[in-house]
Amino acid sequence: MTSNNNQPLSGDEMPRFGGPATMMRLPTADSSRDLDACFVGVPLDIGTSNRSGARFGPRQIRAESTLLRPYNMATRAAPFDSLQVADIGDVAVNTFSLQDSVKLIESAYHQILSDHCIPLTLGGDHTIVLPILRAVHGIHGPVGLVHVDAHADINDAMFGEKITHGTPFRRAVEEGLLLCDKVVQIGLRGTGYAADDFDWPREHGFRIATAEECWYKSLSPLMAEVREMMGESPVYISFDIDGLDPAFAPGTGTPEIGGLTIHQGLEIVRGCRSLNIVGCDLVEVSPPYDLSGNTSLTAANLLYEMLCVLPGVNYR
Ligand code: MN
Ligand code: MN
């Protein structure tokens, strides 16, 4: 049973290695008009502090998404039954100017959100979440945040710059874009500049679940706590692939050992079901460091899982 909505191209109509490599082999659309949700790429990596390459993330995530089928066997979600979804392509960033790119991204997302379309973003480095959250704030006001990452991304500045992939959530707090008592950061770990690096978010009311707190555990209880925390508030999901362990996701710019497992990543996203989600992203995939393609494959699957928990999705 399928609806008249857009459907991913079936492997029975065109072999999975053929045809256009849109996200999930969905139809493309020129804009977000009349869509309930869209996949959109932001091929930007000029905000990175170490390895670059995330500019190739959207293209490679799309390529690895061609194996995805429409029905979620684990959760029984059938997102294309009830949602009209398309791949609207990439935001035309200015690769010679981070400042200009940030403006271009905010403007593109303002349009998507004004169309009442939920963006599912293929990054791109984590800088892009700042203009996205600015646009989200313009439509929804301040939002709750589920942030998966090895890093808190709350630096005040990097090399003197206020806008980088390590600063977006500091700026978001300063600009009032977040409901600080409804922010959870999951998977934080690694070395820091100071012992209290993770205390700044705690002092601002964030719930921190370090990687060590997550080791050896199911994250379902944590996500029950997160759902309680979020209530009916609008929520944004920002998933930095380096939250996962580099054994699973080596293709990223700032890898940290001792990270989350694939299973925990799935539990986090699936645990967001029933939340009032207004946007999602999957960032920091760097295909030049993803020799097996597994990082992009994981990213594609996590983006699909995000689609499966959006408000209005049917479950069979
Ligand atoms: Mn990040
Ligand atoms: Mn990170």
Side-chain angles (χ1 to χ4, degrees):
M1 283 263 290
T2 53
S3 70
N4 291 325
N5 290 337
N6 291 341
Q7 299 293 325
L9 183 61
S10 165
D12 294 326
E13 297 171 73
M14 169 65 76
R16 295 207 167 270
F17 42 84
T22 58
M23 186 66 185
M24 290 195 74
R25 312 207 309 168
L26 280 161
T28 57
D30 295 336
S31 81
S32 44
R33 215 172 327 109
D34 302 324
L35 299 177
D36 298 306
C38 66
F39 290 106
V40 52
V42 185
L44 176 134
D45 65 6
I46 56 176
T48 53
S49 53
N50 189 39
R51 302 165 170 176
S52 56
R55 67 180 61 184
F56 300 111
R59 182 170 290 175
Q60 202 59 36
I61 293 168
R62 287 186 176 103
E64 293 294 340
S65 79
T66 57
L67 188 57
L68 290 172
R69 294 163 287 259
Y71 182 66
N72 192 319
M73 299 306 292
T75 69
R76 306 189 73 91
F80 305 103
D81 275 13
S82 52
L83 298 185
Q84 178 70 318
V85 189
D87 184 333
I88 67 164
D90 292 336
V91 177
V93 297
N94 176 355
T95 199
F96 304 105
S97 168
L98 188 54
Q99 300 290 336
D100 189 33
S101 292
V102 162
K103 289 183 195 146
L104 292 165
I105 295 164
E106 181 178 350
S107 165
Y109 279 75
H110 180 77
Q111 186 59 54
I112 293 167
L113 293 157
S114 298
D115 286 335
H116 305 289
C117 175
I118 302 178
L120 296 140
T121 299
L122 292 60
D125 76 51
H126 223 156
T127 313
I128 67 175
V129 76
L130 178 62
I132 294 172
L133 286 173
R134 285 173 174 166
V136 166
H137 181 266
I139 301 292
H140 298 285
V143 293
L145 175 71
V146 177
H147 172 207
V148 182
D149 207 319
H151 314 96
D153 292 351
I154 49 75
N155 292 291
D156 181 35
M158 301 180 84
F159 223 78
E161 295 294 326
K162 293 281 195 178
I163 296 198
T164 77
H165 78 152
T167 61
F169 300 109
R170 172 83 67 137
R171 296 290 92 75
V173 169
E174 290 170 351
E175 296 177 20
L177 310 182
L178 299 175
L179 299 165
C180 289
D181 59 343
K182 297 180 194 295
V183 175
V184 60
Q185 296 186 300
I186 309 171
L188 305 191
R189 62 186 186 276
T191 49
Y193 286 104
D196 62 356
D197 272 2
F198 296 160
D199 290 340
W200 189 91
R202 288 191 181 99
E203 284 159 10
H204 286 77
F206 293 12
R207 167 75 166 92
I208 304 295
T210 64
E212 286 79 2
E213 288 170 54
C214 299
W215 286 356
Y216 319 117
K217 285 181 198 158
S218 164
L219 296 189
S220 293
L222 172 67
M223 294 314 294
E225 183 194 324
V226 168
R227 289 192 298 276
E228 182 79 14
M229 174 197 292
M230 298 298 179
E232 306 291 313
S233 300
V235 177
Y236 187 85
I237 302 173
S238 191
F239 199 123
D240 182 329
I241 199 71
D242 72 29
L244 302 183
D245 191 85
F248 303 106
T252 193
T254 41
E256 307 283 356
I257 65 163
L260 305 179
T261 65
I262 296 267
H263 316 87
Q264 290 174 320
L266 289 169
E267 285 179 325
I268 292 167
V269 177
R270 290 174 183 173
C272 291
R273 181 174 164 185
S274 84
L275 295 182
N276 179 17
I277 299 164
V278 296
C280 312
D281 67 52
L282 190 300
V283 297
E284 297 284 356
V285 170
S286 179
Y289 297 94
D290 185 22
L291 299 187
S292 69
N294 278 351
T295 312
S296 295
L297 178 70
T298 302
N301 275 272
L302 288 169
L303 281 158
Y304 169 69
E305 294 285 342
M306 291 176 195
L307 174 68
C308 288
V309 294
L310 294 187
V313 165
N314 271 4
Y315 292 83
R316 292 194 198 153

